[in-house]
Amino acid sequence: MRSLLSVLNKCISFFLLSRSVVVLGRKNNIHRPKSLSLPSSFIRIPYGGADAVTTDDAAVLSAKEGEKKEETITTPSSENTSTTTEAATTTTDENTNDDTTTEEKNKYTFSLFQDGDGSEEDEDGIPARYIRMQKGNREKAKVALHKTLEWRKEHDVDTILSRSNTWFELCKEFQPHFFLGHDTTDHIIFVQRPGFTKFEMLPYVKPDNLLLHYCYIMEYCWNILNTSTENNGGQTTMTAILDLAKVKLRSARDMLYFVRQFVSMMSHHYPQRSYKTLIINSPTWFSMIYKVIQPLLRESTKLKISILTRGTKQQQLMKELLGDDIDENLLNGTEYNGW
């Protein structure tokens, strides 16, 4: 993942520096799609599943509870006995719900430290991937780990899966990305398709919201979807696929800020998570730029990257790594229904 995004970031940066005229981006006359509906609370995501409430829902429920309490207080004294019984029952129910809510939140609260990550055996409690990231330099690894812990605290990352992700559907519609099972070596597959980004939605999807959404996705990946510690020395890694079908150079400036922020987040706070990087359906211009920036990449990064164009070679390599059951839309660079 880190290597994939680093390559994309450097390619876009190189292009912008080599072209001193502003020929990228889109005009400002962007209109909101008619099919896009954006109420203040439009999606509900776990922890509570279908019963989870957003901020607006919580406010409504709070107001209703206030009305109920007022009704209880103004009940005539002749009904005090029944009122007291009802109030006690309500209090018991509320306490039970609070306990359930707390239990659900705790269930979806995750620390940076995981079983089998090497931190328990390490004298300084440093996960092995941070030491590998710094090539064995323990002092640098300590600093990197401390920065990640501070970042997680600042953004409350440990509990991100226990909160409603109100941007989930919007971010998925804006820039298609999804998990595609496991490859033939049992690494989880994560696909991104920037060529199908709906730039007309930019006024409604801010980069910071998209970045936080991807943080949500990564936490879900490593804490819920795949918790195996069998590969990569006790730490799971992923096969990342960047589908460049339909990517146009004119959209590079629109993507640049987010790509840089995403690369920084993945590099610093989710290190050593990449197993293979497949850049598929790549256009001619990408290959030319990659030849220029390739010398700037670490050898370990270059070994993980495969740049493929549509055709027999791409299809053969994809099937070797991912298996025979590959959706033709991915191979051909066409859009999935509903994505």
Side-chain angles (χ1 to χ4, degrees), residues 65-75:
E65 289 298 324
E67 293 174 3
K68 290 180 180 179
K69 289 179 181 178
E70 288 184 5
E71 291 174 1
T72 302
I73 293 173
T74 56
T75 300

Side-chain angles (χ1 to χ4, degrees), residues 112 117 127-133 235 269-273:
L112 174 147
D117 66 0
R129 58 196 177 97
Y130 280 84
I131 297 177
R132 289 198 302 270
M133 175 179 68
Q235 197 62 47
H269 307 309
Y270 296 96
Q272 297 293 303
R273 290 296 199 182

Side-chain angles (χ1 to χ4, degrees), residues 2-133:
R2 177 184 177 184
S3 58
L4 182 155
L5 292 168
S6 297
V7 170
L8 182 60
N9 184 27
K10 289 178 180 179
C11 285
I12 295 175
S13 298
F14 173 80
F15 174 78
L16 292 178
L17 289 173
S18 64
R19 302 282 291 261
S20 59
V21 293
V22 180
V23 295
L24 308 178
R26 301 202 174 229
K27 296 181 180 180
N28 294 325
N29 57 342
I30 299 174
H31 299 286
R32 180 171 176 168
K34 294 181 180 179
S35 60
L36 186 61
S37 176
L38 295 175
S40 56
S41 56
F42 72 96
I43 185 67
R44 300 178 180 183
I45 300 296
Y47 59 91
D51 297 325
V53 295
T54 60
T55 303
D56 291 346
D57 294 326
V60 173
L61 291 176
S62 178
K64 290 182 178 179
E65 289 298 324
E67 293 174 3
K68 290 180 180 179
K69 289 179 181 178
E70 288 184 5
E71 291 174 1
T72 302
I73 293 173
T74 56
T75 300
S77 57
S78 60
E79 300 178 1
N80 279 346
T81 302
S82 60
T83 301
T84 302
T85 302
E86 291 175 2
T89 302
T90 302
T91 301
T92 301
D93 291 340
E94 289 178 350
N95 289 338
T96 301
N97 290 335
D98 288 342
D99 291 340
T100 302
T101 300
T102 302
E103 182 180 347
E104 288 292 318
K105 286 184 177 180
N106 291 336
K107 181 180 178 182
Y108 293 103
T109 297
F110 299 95
S111 166
L112 174 147
F113 303 99
Q114 296 177 303
D115 292 338
D117 66 0
S119 60
E120 295 181 357
E121 297 80 13
D122 187 82
E123 58 183 289
D124 297 309
I126 306 174
R129 58 196 177 97
Y130 280 84
I131 297 177
R132 289 198 302 270
M133 175 179 68

Side-chain angles (χ1 to χ4, degrees), residues 114-170:
Q114 296 177 303
D115 292 338
D117 66 0
S119 60
E120 295 181 357
E121 297 80 13
D122 187 82
E123 58 183 289
D124 297 309
I126 306 174
R129 58 196 177 97
Y130 280 84
I131 297 177
R132 289 198 302 270
M133 175 179 68
Q134 299 298 341
K135 299 180 179 179
N137 189 317
R138 300 188 62 80
E139 291 304 314
K140 288 185 177 181
K142 286 181 185 178
V143 173
L145 176 60
H146 176 72
K147 288 182 178 179
T148 295
L149 291 173
E150 289 296 311
W151 171 78
R152 292 179 71 91
K153 181 178 180 181
E154 178 184 354
H155 299 284
D156 202 10
V157 175
D158 285 7
T159 63
I160 195 170
L161 295 180
S162 71
R163 306 193 303 271
S164 294
N165 182 356
T166 56
W167 289 89
F168 186 87
E169 293 294 343
L170 191 61

Side-chain angles (χ1 to χ4, degrees), residues 198-239:
K198 296 181 178 179
F199 287 99
E200 66 271 18
M201 294 172 63
L202 271 175
Y204 314 106
V205 182
K206 306 303 180 185
D208 289 343
N209 296 123
L210 189 60
L211 193 67
L212 194 61
H213 167 77
Y214 268 100
C215 175
Y216 181 97
I217 295 297
M218 290 299 106
E219 290 295 310
Y220 175 78
C221 173
W222 302 121
N223 293 297
I224 302 293
L225 194 60
N226 192 335
T227 58
S228 171
T229 57
E230 294 180 359
N231 57 45
N232 194 31
Q235 197 62 47
T236 50
T237 53
M238 69 164 55
T239 293

Side-chain angles (χ1 to χ4, degrees), residues 265-296:
M265 181 182 79
M266 296 299 297
S267 298
H268 292 98
H269 307 309
Y270 296 96
Q272 297 293 303
R273 290 296 199 182
S274 175
Y275 171 64
K276 292 283 187 183
T277 296
L278 302 182
I279 301 177
I280 66 173
N281 299 318
S282 61
T284 304
W285 59 262
F286 186 85
S287 297
M288 292 188 295
I289 292 177
Y290 181 73
K291 288 181 181 179
V292 176
I293 61 97
Q294 188 178 25
L296 305 177

